[in-house]
Every structure is written in C-alpha cells, then in structure tokens.
Amino acid sequence: MKKKILIIEDEKELISGLKLNLDFEGYDVIWALDGEEGLNKALKEAPDLILLDIMLPKRDGLEVCRELRGQNVTIPIIMLTAKGEEVDKVVGLEIGADDYITKPFSVKELLARVKAHLRREKREEKDTPSVYRFDDVEIDFIHFKVKRKEKEFDLTSLEVEILKYFVAHRGEVVTREAMLNEIWGYERYPSTRTIDNHILKLRKKLQDDPAKAKYIFSVYGEGYRFMGGL
Ligand code: CA
C-alpha cells in the first residue's frame, strides 16, 4: 500500500515541488496551507508521515506538533525550518518532532529522511516487543508510554526506537555512530548533540532526578550504556 505523506506548508511553490518528487517516489501526497487545516487533515486522513513548516497562518507548526502529540499521534513529524529558526528546532524536538530540515534543502536529502523515518516505522510494525519492565518502570512499546509509580509519560516514535535499541543491547556500550546508523538510518544526520538531547529527555521520563544517571549511562567519548533490568 502507498504511504501517505501530509505536507503542511504555506508556500505553494514548495508544496508543488515536493509533491512532484514525492509522487515520483510512489507516495500518496496530501497537503494543507495553514496550521488549522493541517491539524484537521493529520487527525482525519491518517497520514504515515508529516512534513511540517513552522511559520504558518492560523496555528504555527510548533502548536500543531504539540497538539498532535497531545492527542497521541505518534507518526514521524519532520519540521521544515527556515534559517535563523535554530531555537524553534530545539523546541520542536522537545515537543515531539522527530527530525528537522533547514530551508533551503535539497530534495534528495529530504527524500532520504522521509525514507529513513518510514523504514523505522515499518521495522516497528514487524517485530514489536510489547512491554519491558524493570524496577518500578514499565516501557509500553505498543502505546508509546513510560509508566513509573503513579506517573505516565508519552514517548515519541523516535524515543520508542531509541529505547528498543537500548533494550536489545542492554549492558553493552552503544556508540552514537551506531545509534545514528541503526535508528536514524543514515550516517551524517543528525548531529551527535541531537542524540544527547533525546537521551536527556528520556532520562527525565525514566527517573526522578535526571541529573544523576540511573539507567542510561554516558560512556565518555563513546556513547551510552543502558542498564535497565540488569
Ligand atoms: Ca511558512
């Protein structure tokens, strides 16, 4: 079945350029010209991936992203940011975007990322472990949640993928490079710094005091070691 991609973007030329290329690659493309319409389509038309501009009429991209994650929409979201929107990128990742690409971008690069994110989703469908428990923590891979004591935290699709990778390699040192290859699916993107940001967010969900690592340990100059359940 064709994968459906929703483009939420107010620059019509950019949409038609993207649509042309995505059509050619065999995707089903739908689009919205403002944040409100985008949100509606994201909820009603069940796309497999969203390309989301930040500066949009009615509701901006950050709002749309936050709202979708709030409603447990876990599909990959790639933010399209303009130069100078560095702050927004960070906020975007914090509120649950999986990735971002800075305009002007090459279509080739964008297509590579779309493919990588969809491949990740597919891998998840194939071998979905359901729940992993350790101490008082429960990671629910089906519903994208971490439950701990009375608390419950939502996970983004990227966080789920990172945790799956950690669980599969628990006790081992995993390098950032290996994570980039296995989880992001391409070698040069994103910066290793981005991984560290995601880890920081995950720690906050897995433990009370994120300052002192309890399950995800940093291994200096290498990467990380996950010790949950060991
Ligand atoms: Ca715009």
Side-chain angles (χ1 to χ4, degrees):
M1 214 173 80
K2 274 188 172 189
K3 291 282 182 187
K4 193 193 281 183
I5 297 181
L6 169 61
I7 308 170
I8 309 177
E9 165 66 67
D10 58 333
E11 285 170 57
K12 287 187 182 150
E13 290 97 76
L14 186 53
I15 293 182
S16 39
L18 286 174
K19 181 173 161 27
L20 197 73
N21 282 284
L22 290 165
D23 277 346
F24 186 76
E25 294 288 319
Y27 298 110
D28 190 2
V29 181
I30 54 173
W31 66 91
L33 292 165
D34 65 63
E36 213 167 275
E37 189 195 350
L39 195 55
N40 285 336
K41 287 199 171 164
L43 292 171
K44 282 183 196 137
E45 306 215 13
D48 296 289
L49 181 144
I50 300 176
L51 298 174
L52 177 60
D53 185 29
I54 290 190
M55 296 288 280
L56 285 169
K58 297 191 185 166
R59 305 186 73 170
D60 70 36
L62 296 175
E63 259 185 84
V64 172
C65 182
R66 193 179 288 124
E67 178 76 29
L68 288 173
R69 293 312 189 211
Q71 299 207 29
N72 289 323
V73 175
T74 55
I75 56 161
I77 297 178
I78 304 177
M79 309 279 297
L80 308 175
T81 67
K83 271 213 174 96
E85 291 179 338
E86 261 72 30
V87 178
D88 293 341
K89 283 182 202 168
V90 176
V91 175
L93 293 174
E94 272 170 11
I95 60 178
D98 294 284
D99 203 348
Y100 54 79
I101 186 162
T102 308
K103 295 179 192 172
F105 48 79
S106 82
V107 171
K108 208 175 140 197
E109 192 186 355
L110 181 91
L111 290 174
R113 294 202 199 170
V114 166
K115 250 182 225 157
H117 283 282
L118 289 174
R119 194 170 52 221
R120 221 179 61 215
E121 289 289 288
K122 205 172 140 204
R123 215 163 52 212
E124 261 161 35
E125 280 165 22
K126 252 195 298 184
D127 54 3
T128 308
S130 45
V131 174
Y132 185 72
R133 292 188 186 89
F134 51 94
D135 295 349
D136 57 355
V137 182
E138 180 181 306
I139 304 172
D140 181 340
F141 288 114
I142 306 254
H143 301 100
F144 288 58
K145 305 247 183 229
V146 165
K147 292 173 199 158
R148 185 160 60 75
K149 296 176 195 162
E150 247 68 299
K151 291 175 222 163
E152 195 175 282
F153 304 86
D154 289 323
L155 296 170
T156 66
S157 54
L158 190 61
E159 287 173 340
V160 163
E161 187 71 7
I162 293 172
L163 285 173
K164 277 184 186 169
Y165 189 73
F166 278 162
V167 168
H169 295 272
R170 59 187 178 276
E172 299 169 20
V173 175
V174 296
T175 63
R176 292 186 179 79
E177 285 67 32
M179 290 174 72
L180 284 175
N181 284 327
E182 292 298 316
I183 298 167
W184 276 261
Y186 33 88
E187 286 171 35
R188 275 160 14 123
Y189 186 87
S191 71
T192 49
R193 187 73 180 275
T194 307
I195 298 184
D196 297 340
N197 284 336
H198 284 294
I199 297 300
L200 204 67
K201 278 166 39 194
L202 271 177
R203 279 202 188 119
K204 287 181 192 166
K205 295 178 184 180
L206 295 179
Q207 59 182 90
D208 283 327
D209 176 13
K212 199 164 177 297
K214 196 172 170 190
Y215 302 115
I216 305 172
F217 295 89
S218 301
V219 180
Y220 183 76
E222 297 284 342
Y224 293 98
R225 189 202 301 268
F226 176 70
M227 295 297 280
L230 291 174

